[in-house]
Amino acid sequence: MKERVRALQSSMSTEGLGAYYVVSPFNLRYISGFTGTSGIALITNNGAYFITDFRYKEQAESQCDGFKIILAGGSAGTGSPQKVVQDILTEENISRVGYEEEHITVADFDDLESIITADLIPASGLIEILRETKEHEEIEKIKVACQIADLAFHHILEFIKPGVTEIEIANELDFFMRSKGASGVSFDTIVASGVRSAMPHGVASNKKVANGELITLDYGCYYEGYASDITRTIALGDVDRKLEEIYQIVLDANERVTTALKADMTGKEADAIARDLIKERGYGSQFGHSLGHSIGLDIHEIPNLSMHSSHILRPGNVVTNEPGIYLEGLGGVRIEDDLLITEKGNELLTHSPRELIHL
């Protein structure tokens, strides 16, 4: 954690900030190691402080290596976290404080502004930029999360049959991943069957799956704080030939991206690998979302793989590859994998079968 703090302090210096006020749970975990639910961090040029209450004293002391732990309590201005922050700023003579405007509520900002005399500077993104490039330990945790997701796919193939509801399938996926070591799901599991599979984010419903339908399964899990994200589309019995056609196109797009994705490519260039193929095959307007996004502590991180992203991919980025085609009133297909960008190209982290499976 100490190296991460030093990297943040370097960014603060570049931005002319004397301190950085951290409230995002993901950023708190990244910068301090804290996994609890109540705390803030204040990073200054001379130190790192973690402010929490008595409930998390022992946890903070064991997790926040290199941080000075300060317990706060009482009403605003008489021992509140904001008062503790002000005392530190006064002691270190700090006049400019960066804060995460994208993660702080209006009420919390009002409390902060009412006590802090230093200039409050909107500065979201300083830690997110550091989180882009995953360290070895982070990559290993993501790999385990991906392995659990792969195991879940093989398990769910034995569970799905006509008459089972989408919610029952989603619950089975969720419970199975927990049984294999996941701490929870990384987002609400998507199970969309039949015409509902044309909904890219069709969260599981009470609909029963039936023969002749495609079923899209989009799910993932957290392992020791790090996420996986996988999508597979399967067939229950024989399906419309048009659906088989778009399945093959999506598969071709997915595989082309996996073959070509590499460092120094922009998000826009990566997106175009799949988008151009789908457009050439006549379904460009039915691919309405971006190719992918990064994953890590959060399920959606930077960089993005989209038509508008000029962000350059670097070794250590972990990104999704999820082309799709959606035909309203008929059904849709999405195939998603997680890939690690490496010095030599990329490493595929999800290995569930991609060819169309007929149950």
Side-chain angles (χ1 to χ4, degrees):
M1 298 303 166
K2 294 178 181 178
E3 290 184 2
R4 295 176 180 179
V5 169
R6 284 193 289 270
L8 177 58
Q9 288 170 330
S10 177
S11 298
M12 289 161 46
S13 177
T14 300
E15 298 296 324
L17 301 173
Y20 196 62
Y21 184 81
V22 186
V23 296
S24 159
F26 295 118
N27 288 340
L28 282 172
R29 181 166 187 160
Y30 181 82
I31 204 69
S32 71
F34 184 70
T35 62
T37 58
S38 180
I40 61 174
L42 184 73
I43 311 300
T44 71
N45 292 324
N46 299 315
Y49 306 87
F50 193 85
I51 304 163
T52 186
D53 61 58
F54 75 97
R55 296 172 300 168
Y56 294 98
K57 178 179 181 293
E58 291 187 21
Q59 182 177 354
E61 288 175 343
S62 66
Q63 291 182 331
C64 303
D65 182 39
F67 280 71
K68 180 178 180 180
I69 310 302
I70 303 175
L71 300 185
S75 60
T78 62
S80 68
Q82 296 85 358
K83 178 63 165 56
V84 172
V85 169
Q86 177 59 46
D87 289 344
I88 295 169
L89 298 177
T90 299
E91 182 179 345
E92 297 195 19
N93 194 30
I94 293 170
S95 61
R96 284 170 55 86
V97 180
Y99 71 96
E100 300 178 305
E101 76 276 11
E102 294 181 4
H103 302 291
I104 191 169
T105 67
V106 172
D108 287 343
F109 178 78
D110 287 344
D111 287 342
L112 187 65
E113 191 177 38
S114 69
I115 296 174
I116 302 303
T117 58
D119 292 334
L120 294 171
I121 312 299
S124 283
L126 294 190
I127 297 178
E128 284 86 345
I129 291 173
L130 300 179
R131 284 167 47 194
E132 286 183 36
T133 302
K134 271 58 181 180
E135 300 164 2
H136 175 73
E137 287 188 2
E138 294 180 288
I139 293 169
E140 291 305 305
K141 291 173 182 178
I142 293 172
K143 285 183 177 179
V144 175
C146 290
Q147 291 167 5
I148 293 172
D150 280 334
L151 289 173
F153 180 69
H154 289 282
H155 171 77
I156 208 65
L157 294 180
E158 301 296 323
F159 179 84
I160 296 174
K161 59 182 181 293
V164 174
T165 67
E166 294 174 348
I167 287 179
E168 288 172 332
I169 295 169
N171 288 340
E172 185 68 20
L173 279 168
D174 297 353
F175 294 151
F176 180 85
M177 289 189 290
R178 285 182 178 274
S179 76
K180 296 302 178 181
S183 60
V185 296
S186 45
F187 54 93
D188 287 341
T189 296
I190 292 171
V191 180
S193 61
V195 296
R196 294 190 74 251
S197 63
M199 302 167 59
H201 280 182
V203 175
S205 73
N206 286 313
K207 178 188 175 301
K208 295 180 179 180
V209 302
N211 279 319
E213 295 183 335
L214 288 182
I215 306 171
T216 296
L217 310 166
D218 186 350
Y219 62 96
C221 69
Y222 273 111
Y223 177 78
E224 294 190 3
Y226 287 83
S228 59
D229 187 359
I230 184 173
T231 305
R232 291 294 184 265
T233 303
I234 62 174
L236 196 53
D238 295 327
V239 296
D240 190 286
R241 290 178 60 185
K242 178 67 70 173
L243 295 175
E244 292 190 342
E245 175 192 341
I246 64 171
Y247 189 97
Q248 187 60 51
I249 295 170
V250 172
L251 177 59
D252 290 345
N254 171 278
E255 292 179 341
R256 182 177 288 187
V257 171
T258 299
T259 298
L261 200 63
K262 61 182 180 180
D264 296 328
M265 181 177 287
T266 66
K268 182 177 181 179
E269 290 170 337
D271 180 273
I273 298 169
R275 195 167 303 281
D276 289 350
L277 184 149
I278 292 174
K279 185 176 180 180
E280 290 167 4
R281 305 282 181 89
Y283 291 97
S285 61
Q286 281 76 45
F287 179 23
H289 55 74
S290 62
L291 174 65
H293 54 88
S294 295
I295 60 173
L297 287 168
D298 199 356
I299 192 60
H300 287 95
E301 299 191 350
I302 51 175
N304 290 316
L305 310 184
S306 76
M307 292 185 290
H308 309 293
S309 175
S310 59
H311 205 116
I312 297 174
L313 296 177
R314 303 295 187 196
N317 295 160
V318 180
V319 300
T320 66
N321 165 22
E322 47 183 304
I325 297 175
Y326 311 92
L327 305 180
E328 186 175 352
L330 182 59
V333 174
R334 182 166 64 257
I335 303 171
E336 176 184 19
D337 288 299
D338 300 337
L339 298 92
L340 168 66
I341 304 299
T342 67
E343 295 285 353
K344 298 181 179 180
N346 71 76
E347 178 185 348
L348 189 62
L349 304 184
T350 43
H351 302 285
S352 297
R354 292 168 195 82
E355 299 293 335
L356 181 58
I357 293 172
H358 292 264
L359 298 181

